[in-house]
Amino acid sequence: MAVHKLDFDDFDEIDYHLIAIHTTLEDYRLAYFINQKLPINLSKNKVEIQINIKEGETNFSRFYYFDKENAISWNLIQNKNEVIQHKNDNNQNLFSNINLEVSTKVFLLPEFRKVDYFLKIENLEDGTNVTEIQALLNTIESISTAYTVEKYKIKSKNNLIF
């Protein structure tokens, strides 16, 4: 009987690049400007990224484009969102029976709290330069800054699996 061995180093390889984007734009407007600068066509994905925390669950918007010719996936992902909790105050006082709404900020990647959006590029060929993409993003007037994120700094990598 033959013995088959698996090399787990093949599974640890990360084949995506992540660009952090700081902007005040809404997600659809940012996708529009990115589509104008880059040769892609990001469109709203119906399947949003869902994160569950102790306060509740929230969905992060996602814009997606798949380049069939080069087999490259492009994802524009929201990093900041809110969970709204409804609490009933049952104390017997002047302000009894008041419904309270408590809002909690939630981050897709909590270690990057100041980042508004991420552009995740999967299966990017070695010939394509990520710094060129970053430079094109920085030419968009409403983007404060865009920079590549080092993969070893990402602690919550599981949130990027979708």
Side-chain angles (χ1 to χ4, degrees):
M1 177 181 262
V3 176
H4 297 283
K5 290 184 180 181
L6 292 175
D7 186 13
F8 287 113
D9 291 335
D10 294 339
F11 296 110
D12 290 340
E13 186 176 322
I14 300 172
D15 62 342
Y16 64 86
H17 297 276
L18 199 63
I19 299 175
I21 300 172
H22 295 261
T23 184
T24 57
L25 289 173
E26 292 291 325
D27 53 3
Y28 64 93
R29 291 194 36 97
L30 179 60
Y32 172 77
F33 289 128
I34 291 174
N35 287 341
Q36 287 186 332
K37 290 289 181 180
L38 299 174
I40 61 175
N41 189 18
L42 291 168
S43 60
K44 180 90 168 163
N45 195 326
K46 293 179 184 175
V47 180
E48 294 183 334
I49 301 166
Q50 187 177 39
I51 300 291
N52 293 318
I53 58 170
K54 63 181 179 179
E55 289 86 6
E57 70 178 40
T58 187
N59 294 321
F60 294 93
S61 67
R62 175 181 171 206
F63 286 76
Y64 179 75
Y65 173 70
F66 182 71
D67 183 2
K68 292 179 184 174
E69 185 177 312
N70 300 316
I72 300 172
S73 296
W74 298 76
N75 286 286
L76 178 65
I77 315 152
Q78 179 183 20
N79 187 41
K80 298 178 183 179
N81 208 346
E82 291 183 345
V83 173
I84 298 176
Q85 293 177 295
H86 297 283
K87 295 183 178 181
N88 291 330
D89 189 10
N90 294 330
N91 294 337
Q92 297 298 324
N93 58 23
L94 182 61
F95 302 105
S96 63
N97 296 330
I98 295 178
N99 291 331
L100 298 173
E101 285 189 358
V102 179
S103 174
T104 306
K105 261 207 188 269
V106 181
F107 302 92
L108 183 68
L109 298 180
E111 56 271 23
F112 299 101
R113 292 180 175 268
K114 298 195 182 221
V115 175
D116 298 307
Y117 297 95
F118 289 105
L119 184 63
K120 179 183 174 188
I121 310 166
E122 297 179 66
N123 301 326
L124 193 62
E125 296 174 1
D126 293 333
T128 309
N129 195 349
V130 179
T131 54
E132 290 177 15
I133 296 170
Q134 174 189 330
L136 285 171
L137 290 174
N138 279 320
T139 61
I140 298 174
E141 190 173 310
S142 300
I143 291 181
S144 303
T145 186
Y147 53 90
T148 56
V149 175
E150 298 297 328
K151 295 172 193 148
Y152 67 89
K153 291 183 180 179
I154 304 171
K155 295 177 185 169
S156 48
K157 292 178 184 173
N158 290 341
N159 291 349
L160 293 174
I161 300 173
F162 43 84

Short mmCIF file of all heavy atoms in Angstrom, two decimals, residues 30-79:
data_model
loop_
_atom_site.label_atom_id
_atom_site.label_comp_id
_atom_site.label_asym_id
_atom_site.label_seq_id
_atom_site.Cartn_x
_atom_site.Cartn_y
_atom_site.Cartn_z
N LEU A 30 -17.16 55.09 -4.10
CA LEU A 30 -15.77 54.65 -4.14
C LEU A 30 -15.59 53.59 -5.23
O LEU A 30 -14.62 53.63 -5.99
CB LEU A 30 -15.35 54.10 -2.78
CG LEU A 30 -13.92 53.57 -2.69
CD1 LEU A 30 -12.91 54.67 -3.00
CD2 LEU A 30 -13.67 52.98 -1.32
N ALA A 31 -16.52 52.65 -5.32
CA ALA A 31 -16.45 51.61 -6.36
C ALA A 31 -16.50 52.26 -7.75
O ALA A 31 -15.77 51.84 -8.66
CB ALA A 31 -17.59 50.62 -6.20
N TYR A 32 -17.32 53.29 -7.92
CA TYR A 32 -17.42 53.99 -9.20
C TYR A 32 -16.08 54.62 -9.58
O TYR A 32 -15.60 54.48 -10.71
CB TYR A 32 -18.51 55.06 -9.11
CG TYR A 32 -18.57 55.98 -10.30
CD1 TYR A 32 -19.14 55.56 -11.50
CD2 TYR A 32 -18.07 57.27 -10.23
CE1 TYR A 32 -19.20 56.40 -12.59
CE2 TYR A 32 -18.12 58.12 -11.32
CZ TYR A 32 -18.69 57.68 -12.49
OH TYR A 32 -18.74 58.52 -13.58
N PHE A 33 -15.44 55.32 -8.63
CA PHE A 33 -14.16 55.97 -8.92
C PHE A 33 -13.05 54.95 -9.17
O PHE A 33 -12.19 55.17 -10.02
CB PHE A 33 -13.77 56.93 -7.79
CG PHE A 33 -14.63 58.16 -7.73
CD1 PHE A 33 -15.25 58.54 -6.54
CD2 PHE A 33 -14.82 58.94 -8.85
CE1 PHE A 33 -16.03 59.68 -6.50
CE2 PHE A 33 -15.61 60.08 -8.81
CZ PHE A 33 -16.22 60.46 -7.63
N ILE A 34 -13.07 53.85 -8.44
CA ILE A 34 -12.07 52.80 -8.67
C ILE A 34 -12.25 52.19 -10.05
O ILE A 34 -11.28 51.92 -10.77
CB ILE A 34 -12.14 51.73 -7.56
CG1 ILE A 34 -11.65 52.31 -6.24
CG2 ILE A 34 -11.32 50.49 -7.94
CD1 ILE A 34 -11.82 51.39 -5.05
N ASN A 35 -13.50 51.99 -10.46
CA ASN A 35 -13.77 51.45 -11.80
C ASN A 35 -13.25 52.37 -12.90
O ASN A 35 -12.83 51.91 -13.96
CB ASN A 35 -15.27 51.22 -12.00
CG ASN A 35 -15.78 50.03 -11.23
OD1 ASN A 35 -15.01 49.16 -10.82
ND2 ASN A 35 -17.08 49.98 -11.01
N GLN A 36 -13.28 53.68 -12.65
CA GLN A 36 -12.77 54.62 -13.65
C GLN A 36 -11.25 54.59 -13.73
O GLN A 36 -10.70 54.77 -14.81
CB GLN A 36 -13.25 56.03 -13.33
CG GLN A 36 -14.71 56.24 -13.61
CD GLN A 36 -15.12 57.68 -13.42
OE1 GLN A 36 -14.53 58.42 -12.63
NE2 GLN A 36 -16.14 58.10 -14.14
N LYS A 37 -10.57 54.37 -12.61
CA LYS A 37 -9.10 54.41 -12.60
C LYS A 37 -8.46 53.09 -13.00
O LYS A 37 -7.41 53.07 -13.62
CB LYS A 37 -8.59 54.81 -11.20
CG LYS A 37 -8.85 56.24 -10.85
CD LYS A 37 -7.99 57.18 -11.65
CE LYS A 37 -8.26 58.62 -11.25
NZ LYS A 37 -7.47 59.56 -11.99
N LEU A 38 -9.08 51.98 -12.60
CA LEU A 38 -8.52 50.66 -12.86
C LEU A 38 -9.34 49.96 -13.95
O LEU A 38 -10.52 50.26 -14.12
CB LEU A 38 -8.53 49.81 -11.59
CG LEU A 38 -7.72 50.35 -10.41
CD1 LEU A 38 -7.95 49.48 -9.18
CD2 LEU A 38 -6.25 50.40 -10.75
N PRO A 39 -8.74 49.02 -14.65
CA PRO A 39 -9.49 48.32 -15.71
C PRO A 39 -10.37 47.21 -15.14
O PRO A 39 -10.28 46.04 -15.53
CB PRO A 39 -8.37 47.75 -16.59
CG PRO A 39 -7.25 47.52 -15.64
CD PRO A 39 -7.34 48.62 -14.63
N ILE A 40 -11.23 47.57 -14.19
CA ILE A 40 -12.14 46.59 -13.58
C ILE A 40 -13.55 47.16 -13.58
O ILE A 40 -13.76 48.34 -13.89
CB ILE A 40 -11.70 46.22 -12.15
CG1 ILE A 40 -11.69 47.44 -11.23
CG2 ILE A 40 -10.34 45.55 -12.15
CD1 ILE A 40 -11.39 47.12 -9.77
N ASN A 41 -14.51 46.32 -13.19
CA ASN A 41 -15.91 46.74 -13.14
C ASN A 41 -16.54 46.20 -11.85
O ASN A 41 -17.30 45.23 -11.89
CB ASN A 41 -16.66 46.23 -14.38
CG ASN A 41 -18.04 46.81 -14.47
OD1 ASN A 41 -18.35 47.81 -13.84
ND2 ASN A 41 -18.90 46.17 -15.26
N LEU A 42 -16.21 46.82 -10.73
CA LEU A 42 -16.76 46.40 -9.45
C LEU A 42 -18.27 46.63 -9.43
O LEU A 42 -18.75 47.67 -9.87
CB LEU A 42 -16.12 47.20 -8.31
CG LEU A 42 -14.66 46.92 -8.00
CD1 LEU A 42 -14.12 47.99 -7.06
CD2 LEU A 42 -14.50 45.55 -7.41
N SER A 43 -19.00 45.65 -8.92
CA SER A 43 -20.44 45.81 -8.77
C SER A 43 -20.86 45.24 -7.42
O SER A 43 -20.19 44.37 -6.86
CB SER A 43 -21.20 45.11 -9.90
OG SER A 43 -20.91 43.73 -9.90
N LYS A 44 -21.97 45.74 -6.91
CA LYS A 44 -22.45 45.35 -5.58
C LYS A 44 -22.77 43.86 -5.57
O LYS A 44 -23.45 43.35 -6.43
CB LYS A 44 -23.70 46.15 -5.24
CG LYS A 44 -24.30 45.85 -3.90
CD LYS A 44 -23.73 46.71 -2.86
CE LYS A 44 -24.56 46.58 -1.59
NZ LYS A 44 -23.87 47.05 -0.46
N ASN A 45 -22.24 43.17 -4.58
CA ASN A 45 -22.48 41.74 -4.42
C ASN A 45 -23.64 41.56 -3.44
O ASN A 45 -23.67 42.19 -2.39
CB ASN A 45 -21.22 41.06 -3.90
CG ASN A 45 -21.27 39.56 -4.04
OD1 ASN A 45 -22.32 38.95 -3.92
ND2 ASN A 45 -20.13 38.97 -4.28
N LYS A 46 -24.58 40.71 -3.78
CA LYS A 46 -25.73 40.49 -2.91
C LYS A 46 -25.33 39.78 -1.63
O LYS A 46 -25.96 39.96 -0.59
CB LYS A 46 -26.79 39.67 -3.65
CG LYS A 46 -27.42 40.41 -4.79
CD LYS A 46 -28.43 39.57 -5.51
CE LYS A 46 -28.96 40.34 -6.71
NZ LYS A 46 -29.85 39.53 -7.52
N VAL A 47 -24.27 38.98 -1.71
CA VAL A 47 -23.80 38.26 -0.53
C VAL A 47 -22.82 39.16 0.22
O VAL A 47 -21.72 39.41 -0.23
CB VAL A 47 -23.09 36.94 -0.93
CG1 VAL A 47 -22.60 36.21 0.31
CG2 VAL A 47 -24.00 36.07 -1.76
N GLU A 48 -23.27 39.67 1.36
CA GLU A 48 -22.43 40.53 2.17
C GLU A 48 -21.65 39.68 3.17
O GLU A 48 -21.98 38.51 3.40
CB GLU A 48 -23.28 41.57 2.90
CG GLU A 48 -23.94 42.54 1.95
CD GLU A 48 -24.72 43.62 2.67
OE1 GLU A 48 -25.17 43.39 3.81
OE2 GLU A 48 -24.88 44.69 2.08
N ILE A 49 -20.63 40.26 3.74
CA ILE A 49 -19.81 39.55 4.72
C ILE A 49 -20.44 39.73 6.09
O ILE A 49 -20.63 40.85 6.56
CB ILE A 49 -18.37 40.10 4.70
CG1 ILE A 49 -17.79 39.93 3.31
CG2 ILE A 49 -17.51 39.40 5.74
CD1 ILE A 49 -16.54 40.72 3.08
N GLN A 50 -20.77 38.61 6.72
CA GLN A 50 -21.47 38.65 8.00
C GLN A 50 -20.50 38.33 9.13
O GLN A 50 -19.76 37.36 9.07
CB GLN A 50 -22.62 37.64 7.99
CG GLN A 50 -23.50 37.72 9.20
CD GLN A 50 -24.65 36.74 9.09
OE1 GLN A 50 -24.49 35.63 8.62
NE2 GLN A 50 -25.81 37.18 9.54
N ILE A 51 -20.53 39.16 10.16
CA ILE A 51 -19.68 38.97 11.34
C ILE A 51 -20.60 38.93 12.56
O ILE A 51 -21.46 39.79 12.74
CB ILE A 51 -18.67 40.13 11.49
CG1 ILE A 51 -17.75 40.22 10.29
CG2 ILE A 51 -17.87 39.98 12.77
CD1 ILE A 51 -16.78 39.10 10.15
N ASN A 52 -20.40 37.93 13.40
CA ASN A 52 -21.16 37.80 14.65
C ASN A 52 -20.26 38.13 15.82
O ASN A 52 -19.17 37.59 15.94
CB ASN A 52 -21.69 36.37 14.81
CG ASN A 52 -22.72 36.03 13.76
OD1 ASN A 52 -23.57 36.83 13.44
ND2 ASN A 52 -22.63 34.83 13.22
N ILE A 53 -20.74 39.03 16.66
CA ILE A 53 -20.04 39.37 17.90
C ILE A 53 -21.05 39.26 19.04
O ILE A 53 -22.24 39.00 18.80
CB ILE A 53 -19.42 40.79 17.84
CG1 ILE A 53 -20.51 41.85 17.56
CG2 ILE A 53 -18.32 40.87 16.81
CD1 ILE A 53 -20.03 43.26 17.73
N LYS A 54 -20.60 39.47 20.26
CA LYS A 54 -21.49 39.28 21.41
C LYS A 54 -22.65 40.28 21.42
O LYS A 54 -23.72 39.98 21.94
CB LYS A 54 -20.71 39.33 22.71
CG LYS A 54 -20.05 40.66 23.00
CD LYS A 54 -19.28 40.64 24.29
CE LYS A 54 -18.62 41.98 24.50
NZ LYS A 54 -17.88 42.06 25.72
N GLU A 55 -22.46 41.46 20.83
CA GLU A 55 -23.52 42.47 20.81
C GLU A 55 -24.57 42.17 19.74
O GLU A 55 -25.65 42.74 19.75
CB GLU A 55 -22.95 43.87 20.56
CG GLU A 55 -22.18 44.45 21.72
CD GLU A 55 -20.71 44.01 21.72
OE1 GLU A 55 -20.27 43.36 20.76
OE2 GLU A 55 -20.02 44.30 22.71
N GLY A 56 -24.24 41.34 18.77
CA GLY A 56 -25.17 41.03 17.69
C GLY A 56 -24.42 40.68 16.42
O GLY A 56 -23.23 40.35 16.45
N GLU A 57 -25.09 40.77 15.30
CA GLU A 57 -24.44 40.48 14.03
C GLU A 57 -24.56 41.68 13.11
O GLU A 57 -25.50 42.47 13.21
CB GLU A 57 -25.02 39.23 13.38
CG GLU A 57 -26.42 39.38 12.87
CD GLU A 57 -26.92 38.12 12.19
OE1 GLU A 57 -26.65 37.03 12.69
OE2 GLU A 57 -27.61 38.26 11.17
N THR A 58 -23.59 41.80 12.21
CA THR A 58 -23.60 42.90 11.27
C THR A 58 -23.11 42.40 9.92
O THR A 58 -22.42 41.38 9.84
CB THR A 58 -22.75 44.08 11.77
OG1 THR A 58 -22.91 45.18 10.89
CG2 THR A 58 -21.28 43.71 11.85
N ASN A 59 -23.46 43.12 8.88
CA ASN A 59 -23.06 42.79 7.52
C ASN A 59 -22.20 43.91 6.96
O ASN A 59 -22.53 45.09 7.10
CB ASN A 59 -24.27 42.58 6.61
CG ASN A 59 -25.07 41.37 7.02
OD1 ASN A 59 -24.51 40.35 7.39
ND2 ASN A 59 -26.38 41.48 6.96
N PHE A 60 -21.10 43.54 6.31
CA PHE A 60 -20.22 44.49 5.66
C PHE A 60 -20.47 44.44 4.16
O PHE A 60 -20.49 43.35 3.58
CB PHE A 60 -18.75 44.16 5.98
CG PHE A 60 -18.40 44.34 7.42
CD1 PHE A 60 -18.47 43.28 8.31
CD2 PHE A 60 -18.00 45.58 7.89
CE1 PHE A 60 -18.15 43.45 9.64
CE2 PHE A 60 -17.68 45.76 9.23
CZ PHE A 60 -17.76 44.69 10.10
N SER A 61 -20.64 45.61 3.55
CA SER A 61 -20.91 45.63 2.12
C SER A 61 -19.69 45.17 1.34
O SER A 61 -18.55 45.31 1.78
CB SER A 61 -21.33 47.03 1.67
OG SER A 61 -20.25 47.92 1.79
N ARG A 62 -19.96 44.62 0.16
CA ARG A 62 -18.90 44.04 -0.66
C ARG A 62 -19.20 44.30 -2.13
O ARG A 62 -20.31 44.06 -2.59
CB ARG A 62 -18.85 42.53 -0.38
CG ARG A 62 -17.90 41.76 -1.23
CD ARG A 62 -17.99 40.29 -0.86
NE ARG A 62 -17.25 39.50 -1.82
CZ ARG A 62 -17.50 38.25 -2.08
NH1 ARG A 62 -18.48 37.63 -1.48
NH2 ARG A 62 -16.79 37.59 -2.97
N PHE A 63 -18.20 44.82 -2.82
CA PHE A 63 -18.28 45.00 -4.27
C PHE A 63 -17.29 44.03 -4.89
O PHE A 63 -16.16 43.89 -4.40
CB PHE A 63 -17.96 46.44 -4.66
CG PHE A 63 -19.06 47.40 -4.32
CD1 PHE A 63 -19.28 47.81 -3.01
CD2 PHE A 63 -19.90 47.88 -5.31
CE1 PHE A 63 -20.30 48.68 -2.70
CE2 PHE A 63 -20.92 48.74 -5.00
CZ PHE A 63 -21.13 49.15 -3.70
N TYR A 64 -17.70 43.36 -5.96
CA TYR A 64 -16.91 42.26 -6.49
C TYR A 64 -16.77 42.36 -8.01
O TYR A 64 -17.69 42.80 -8.69
CB TYR A 64 -17.59 40.93 -6.12
CG TYR A 64 -16.89 39.71 -6.61
CD1 TYR A 64 -15.72 39.26 -6.01
CD2 TYR A 64 -17.39 38.99 -7.69
CE1 TYR A 64 -15.07 38.12 -6.46
CE2 TYR A 64 -16.75 37.84 -8.14
CZ TYR A 64 -15.59 37.42 -7.53
OH TYR A 64 -14.95 36.30 -7.98
N TYR A 65 -15.60 41.93 -8.49
CA TYR A 65 -15.37 41.79 -9.92
C TYR A 65 -14.42 40.63 -10.14
O TYR A 65 -13.40 40.51 -9.45
CB TYR A 65 -14.76 43.08 -10.51
CG TYR A 65 -14.34 42.93 -11.95
CD1 TYR A 65 -15.28 42.80 -12.96
CD2 TYR A 65 -13.00 42.90 -12.30
CE1 TYR A 65 -14.89 42.66 -14.28
CE2 TYR A 65 -12.61 42.77 -13.61
CZ TYR A 65 -13.56 42.64 -14.60
OH TYR A 65 -13.18 42.49 -15.91
N PHE A 66 -14.76 39.77 -11.10
CA PHE A 66 -13.88 38.66 -11.46
C PHE A 66 -13.40 38.86 -12.89
O PHE A 66 -14.20 38.91 -13.82
CB PHE A 66 -14.60 37.31 -11.32
CG PHE A 66 -13.72 36.15 -11.65
CD1 PHE A 66 -12.70 35.78 -10.79
CD2 PHE A 66 -13.89 35.44 -12.82
CE1 PHE A 66 -11.87 34.71 -11.09
CE2 PHE A 66 -13.06 34.37 -13.13
CZ PHE A 66 -12.05 34.00 -12.26
N ASP A 67 -12.10 38.98 -13.04
CA ASP A 67 -11.47 39.13 -14.35
C ASP A 67 -11.27 37.73 -14.93
O ASP A 67 -10.35 37.01 -14.53
CB ASP A 67 -10.14 39.86 -14.19
CG ASP A 67 -9.44 40.13 -15.51
OD1 ASP A 67 -10.00 39.78 -16.58
OD2 ASP A 67 -8.33 40.68 -15.48
N LYS A 68 -12.13 37.33 -15.86
CA LYS A 68 -12.08 35.98 -16.43
C LYS A 68 -10.81 35.74 -17.22
O LYS A 68 -10.27 34.63 -17.22
CB LYS A 68 -13.29 35.73 -17.32
CG LYS A 68 -14.58 35.68 -16.57
CD LYS A 68 -15.75 35.47 -17.51
CE LYS A 68 -17.06 35.51 -16.74
NZ LYS A 68 -18.22 35.44 -17.61
N GLU A 69 -10.34 36.76 -17.90
CA GLU A 69 -9.16 36.61 -18.75
C GLU A 69 -7.91 36.27 -17.94
O GLU A 69 -7.11 35.42 -18.31
CB GLU A 69 -8.93 37.90 -19.54
CG GLU A 69 -7.81 37.84 -20.53
CD GLU A 69 -7.70 39.12 -21.32
OE1 GLU A 69 -8.73 39.61 -21.81
OE2 GLU A 69 -6.57 39.63 -21.41
N ASN A 70 -7.75 36.93 -16.79
CA ASN A 70 -6.56 36.72 -15.95
C ASN A 70 -6.85 35.91 -14.68
O ASN A 70 -5.93 35.66 -13.90
CB ASN A 70 -5.96 38.07 -15.55
CG ASN A 70 -5.53 38.88 -16.76
OD1 ASN A 70 -4.93 38.34 -17.68
ND2 ASN A 70 -5.86 40.16 -16.76
N ALA A 71 -8.12 35.54 -14.45
CA ALA A 71 -8.55 34.78 -13.26
C ALA A 71 -8.19 35.52 -11.97
O ALA A 71 -7.71 34.94 -11.01
CB ALA A 71 -7.98 33.38 -13.26
N ILE A 72 -8.45 36.83 -11.95
CA ILE A 72 -8.17 37.66 -10.78
C ILE A 72 -9.50 38.10 -10.15
O ILE A 72 -10.38 38.58 -10.85
CB ILE A 72 -7.33 38.90 -11.15
CG1 ILE A 72 -6.00 38.48 -11.75
CG2 ILE A 72 -7.11 39.79 -9.94
CD1 ILE A 72 -5.18 39.62 -12.31
N SER A 73 -9.61 37.93 -8.84
CA SER A 73 -10.79 38.38 -8.10
C SER A 73 -10.48 39.69 -7.40
O SER A 73 -9.45 39.82 -6.74
CB SER A 73 -11.19 37.34 -7.05
OG SER A 73 -11.58 36.15 -7.66
N TRP A 74 -11.40 40.64 -7.53
CA TRP A 74 -11.27 41.95 -6.90
C TRP A 74 -12.44 42.11 -5.93
O TRP A 74 -13.59 41.92 -6.31
CB TRP A 74 -11.33 43.07 -7.93
CG TRP A 74 -10.24 43.05 -8.95
CD1 TRP A 74 -10.15 42.20 -10.02
CD2 TRP A 74 -9.10 43.89 -9.02
NE1 TRP A 74 -9.02 42.49 -10.75
CE2 TRP A 74 -8.36 43.52 -10.16
CE3 TRP A 74 -8.65 44.94 -8.23
CZ2 TRP A 74 -7.19 44.16 -10.52
CZ3 TRP A 74 -7.48 45.58 -8.59
CH2 TRP A 74 -6.76 45.19 -9.72
N ASN A 75 -12.15 42.46 -4.68
CA ASN A 75 -13.18 42.68 -3.67
C ASN A 75 -12.93 44.03 -2.99
O ASN A 75 -11.85 44.26 -2.47
CB ASN A 75 -13.14 41.60 -2.60
CG ASN A 75 -13.69 40.29 -3.09
OD1 ASN A 75 -14.89 40.14 -3.24
ND2 ASN A 75 -12.81 39.34 -3.36
N LEU A 76 -13.93 44.88 -3.01
CA LEU A 76 -13.90 46.12 -2.24
C LEU A 76 -14.79 45.88 -1.02
O LEU A 76 -15.99 45.63 -1.17
CB LEU A 76 -14.41 47.30 -3.06
CG LEU A 76 -14.47 48.64 -2.33
CD1 LEU A 76 -13.07 49.11 -1.95
CD2 LEU A 76 -15.16 49.69 -3.17
N ILE A 77 -14.20 45.94 0.17
CA ILE A 77 -14.90 45.54 1.38
C ILE A 77 -14.92 46.69 2.37
O ILE A 77 -13.92 47.35 2.60
CB ILE A 77 -14.18 44.34 2.05
CG1 ILE A 77 -13.82 43.29 1.03
CG2 ILE A 77 -15.03 43.74 3.14
CD1 ILE A 77 -12.62 42.48 1.40
N GLN A 78 -16.06 46.89 2.96
CA GLN A 78 -16.24 47.89 4.01
C GLN A 78 -15.56 47.38 5.28
O GLN A 78 -15.63 46.19 5.60
CB GLN A 78 -17.74 48.07 4.24
CG GLN A 78 -18.15 49.03 5.28
CD GLN A 78 -19.66 49.04 5.44
OE1 GLN A 78 -20.35 48.11 5.07
NE2 GLN A 78 -20.17 50.11 6.01
N ASN A 79 -14.89 48.25 6.02
CA ASN A 79 -14.22 47.83 7.26
C ASN A 79 -14.99 48.25 8.51
O ASN A 79 -14.88 47.60 9.53
CB ASN A 79 -12.80 48.38 7.33
CG ASN A 79 -12.01 47.83 8.50
OD1 ASN A 79 -12.09 46.66 8.81
ND2 ASN A 79 -11.26 48.69 9.18
#
